[in-house]
Amino acid sequence: MKICMIGVGYVGLVSGACFADLGNSVWCVDKDEGKIETLNNNQVPFFEPGLEELVVKNYNSGRLKFTNNLSLAVKNSDIIFICVGTPTRRDSRSADLQYVFKVASQLSKLINKFKIIITKSTVPVGTGDKIEKIISKKKKKKYFEVVSNPEFLREGEAIRDFRFPDRIVVGTKNKKVKKKLEVLYQPLIKKGANFFATNRRGAELIKYASNAFLATKISFINEIANLCEKTGINVEDVSLGIGLDKRIGGRFLRVGPSYGGSCFPKDTRALTVTGDEYKTDLSIVKSVIKSNDKRRLVLTQRVKKILSNKLKGKLITFLGVTFKPNTDDMRQSSSLKMIPFLVKSGAKVFYYDPSGKKKEFDKLKNVFYCDDIASSCQNTDLVILHTDWEEFKALDFKKLSKRKKFKIYDLRNIYSVETMKKNGFKYYSIGR
Ligand code: UDX
């Protein structure tokens, strides 16, 4: 099929490369000339495992093309995915839809024959209706159908998530369009993905409800972990014990720092705005947001306690600062709150992250980037295992720091309490 992806950010580029890999002809278009030039030079502007190889392979085969020319890409496509950003508005908690609406208005002038216009960007309930209204100003309804088809890709595992999704959600009442999308997704359906069609507003809400529900699971287990720490119970046992109930399910019950990234924090907030707009109190989602915000404080207080309330002059190492492994993304990472707090309290922070130095800490006094694990830990008083990158999973703690009494705070429960104790390490973790 002939496809156009508008926006070569995370969603657009991953989906575009994967659609091309399924044999479709894909035009990826973006107004950012630098990004398109980078892609035409066989480079990917952000970090995602396996993506560069996939882009290069499909670019060389001629199935994947990059351009700044929206008109060219639209005219050569039957299915158009809108994948532009929907960041949180600076003045509120809601999603900023200016880029989506701008694209809709451009499309209204460019459509030359029937097009399926799909929002893949995460957009609040009713956005599809607004897009339809914008395009209808210039084009008759028979020339287009606006559909919602949200993405559920996780950073760091996006290609796998695209290829083996649990479900594909499509929001449209148009039977012909639904059939066409079923054909587009046939290779994935054949491998076991559920194809679920509903109306457009339903699909839009499914995306927000999914993310809010997953965020709820994480916050729930993190709060249970707080209780476990006070009652001498191992939270891992609780996760397993409740997760074995199929009605609950074991996934997304891993304890950790506050959840971060570009989706959960943004989408939970935007969902409460929709709730407010429709005069519906989404009190559960609101308390999840509160609980997650509070978590950063809970953890920094714990760090203080581990260091006997003396942060002044202490050397603290962060292993990993990104919000999760296999990404260079810092958005809403708990390290962004924890590190400034610790240096303000008089500590010096050294950090190492496999995805490199972070500009977010450039202006902070007493925060230093190290090129490797060894130099970041050399004289440390406390190692904080913040992100569970693979290379942190088999550390030789005996040789890590010159300070004999250094401590380890494992925010991802990577190591076993028993083994660490047996080896005489001062080891702290979450909920156990
Ligand atoms: C999420 C959704 O999973 C995906 O479906 C959606 O399309 C985009 O948002 P992503 O933000 O890439 O994906 O990462 P995810 O793996 O979901 O993790 C989000 C945050 O939750 C991270 O900070 C992660 O560390 C945390 N998390 C996740 C936990 O603390 N415990 C868990 O069990 C799972």
Side-chain angles (χ1 to χ4, degrees):
M1 290 192 189
K2 291 181 184 166
I3 297 174
C4 164
M5 312 298 296
I6 304 178
V8 294
Y10 197 76
V11 175
L13 188 57
V14 171
S15 308
C18 288
F19 276 131
D21 207 47
L22 292 177
N24 299 289
S25 166
V26 183
W27 276 101
C28 286
V29 53
D30 201 292
K31 62 179 181 7
D32 186 326
E33 290 177 10
K35 272 190 190 167
I36 293 300
E37 199 184 322
T38 305
L39 287 160
N40 275 324
N41 286 327
N42 276 337
Q43 279 167 354
V44 168
F46 53 85
F47 177 74
E48 175 65 30
L51 185 58
E52 196 155 289
E53 292 85 328
L54 200 70
V55 165
V56 172
K57 177 186 157 201
N58 286 283
Y59 180 85
N60 289 339
S61 76
R63 285 192 299 267
L64 186 62
K65 296 183 263 305
F66 301 104
T67 181
N68 292 119
N69 189 336
L70 182 64
S71 165
L72 171 81
V74 168
K75 293 208 161 110
N76 283 299
S77 312
D78 301 318
I79 304 177
I80 297 162
F81 285 94
I82 302 178
C83 307
V84 295
T86 53
T88 304
R89 286 164 61 117
R90 267 167 198 256
D91 54 345
S92 70
R93 297 161 294 153
S94 61
D96 184 349
L97 296 172
Q98 59 165 313
Y99 306 109
V100 173
F101 293 147
K102 196 162 174 216
V103 166
S105 141
Q106 286 169 320
L107 286 178
S108 72
K109 293 169 206 147
L110 294 174
I111 293 171
N112 54 335
K113 58 182 171 73
F114 182 77
K115 309 275 177 193
I116 302 176
I117 296 166
I118 303 178
T119 47
K120 242 196 191 319
S121 303
T122 301
V123 292
V125 173
T127 305
D129 303 354
K130 289 181 186 158
I131 294 173
E132 188 175 303
K133 215 168 163 188
I134 292 171
I135 302 177
S136 300
K137 281 187 193 155
K138 292 243 160 28
K139 287 279 147 35
K140 289 211 173 93
K141 187 73 193 41
K142 64 176 182 185
Y143 284 110
F144 70 97
E145 186 67 38
V146 178
V147 178
S148 166
N149 170 218
E151 58 80 25
F152 301 100
L153 310 175
R154 283 167 303 165
E155 288 185 30
E157 287 166 89
I159 295 173
R160 201 205 143 273
D161 282 351
F162 184 96
R163 288 178 171 160
F164 301 98
D166 288 338
R167 79 313 203 182
I168 294 148
V169 175
V170 164
T172 180
K173 279 278 167 238
N174 184 317
K175 285 193 181 127
K176 266 195 195 157
V177 167
K178 183 189 146 204
K179 197 81 221 137
K180 186 136 190 183
L181 293 180
E182 216 169 341
V183 174
L184 173 69
Y185 281 112
Q186 205 43 235
L188 310 182
I189 297 167
K190 267 194 195 149
K191 282 189 295 186
N194 289 297
F195 184 85
F196 178 66
T198 175
N199 63 16
R200 194 166 59 203
R201 287 183 161 222
E204 288 169 342
L205 186 56
I206 285 170
K207 169 69 196 227
Y208 282 97
S210 297
N211 277 352
F213 192 80
L214 292 170
T216 306
K217 278 186 99 171
I218 299 168
S219 295
F220 177 82
I221 201 67
N222 281 338
E223 286 198 354
I224 294 292
N226 295 341
L227 182 63
C228 286
E229 283 171 16
K230 303 247 166 78
T231 49
I233 296 165
N234 186 338
V235 74
E236 304 287 328
D237 291 347
V238 180
S239 281
L240 206 64
I242 63 173
L244 285 170
D245 183 331
K246 288 203 180 77
R247 292 171 301 177
I248 297 173
R251 294 178 72 191
F252 278 71
L253 283 179
R254 269 183 293 115
V255 292
S258 53
Y259 61 72
S262 65
C263 292
F264 289 173
K266 169 171 82 75
D267 295 350
T268 43
R269 285 195 162 79
L271 183 57
T272 62
V273 173
T274 304
D276 292 347
E277 266 168 30
Y278 288 88
K279 300 203 174 11
T280 306
D281 183 18
L282 299 175
S283 66
I284 295 177
V285 185
K286 283 179 185 164
S287 65
V288 167
I289 296 168
K290 228 186 201 168
S291 169
N292 195 55
D293 287 344
K294 215 167 126 194
R295 182 137 193 87
R296 298 177 181 128
L297 194 71
V298 170
L299 296 190
T300 37
Q301 290 307 325
R302 183 99 199 276
V303 172
K304 246 171 124 177
K305 213 168 147 197
I306 291 171
L307 290 173
S308 315
N309 285 319
K310 287 178 205 133
L311 289 176
K312 208 165 174 16
K314 287 285 185 316
L315 306 190
I316 300 177
T317 303
F318 269 69
L319 289 183
V321 287
T322 50
F323 82 99
K324 63 183 269 189
N326 300 321
T327 175
D328 56 2
D329 201 337
M330 287 295 289
R331 281 176 288 179
Q332 302 292 322
S333 175
S334 56
S335 67
L336 292 172
K337 289 277 188 279
M338 292 180 76
I339 292 181
F341 173 87
L342 295 172
V343 287
K344 240 187 227 156
S345 310
K348 281 189 178 160
V349 170
F350 296 81
Y351 74 96
Y352 164 70
D353 191 281
S355 69
K357 191 172 184 281
K358 302 297 166 199
K359 64 176 183 334
E360 287 80 356
F361 301 126
D362 278 355
K363 287 201 181 119
L364 280 185
K365 239 184 166 180
N366 289 328
V367 179
F368 309 94
Y369 174 70
C370 303
D371 282 329
D372 52 45
I373 300 174
S375 42
S376 70
C377 295
Q378 225 175 30
N379 290 303
T380 199
D381 294 298
L382 173 68
V383 175
I384 297 182
L385 286 158
H386 176 273
T387 315
D388 43 345
W389 288 88
E390 280 303 311
E391 62 186 272
F392 303 149
K393 290 187 178 168
L395 296 172
D396 186 354
F397 288 105
K398 280 195 180 122
K399 292 187 189 146
L400 220 50
S401 176
K402 284 185 187 149
R403 311 231 168 159
K404 275 218 173 88
K405 288 186 178 159
F406 84 99
K407 296 171 175 173
I408 301 150
Y409 186 19
D410 181 356
L411 303 188
R412 302 284 179 168
N413 288 359
I414 300 172
Y415 292 92
S416 132
V417 180
E418 285 72 34
T419 316
M420 295 299 270
K421 253 192 191 155
K422 211 164 63 199
N423 288 322
F425 296 121
K426 294 193 165 43
Y427 175 78
Y428 306 83
S429 57
I430 304 275
R432 25 175 229 178

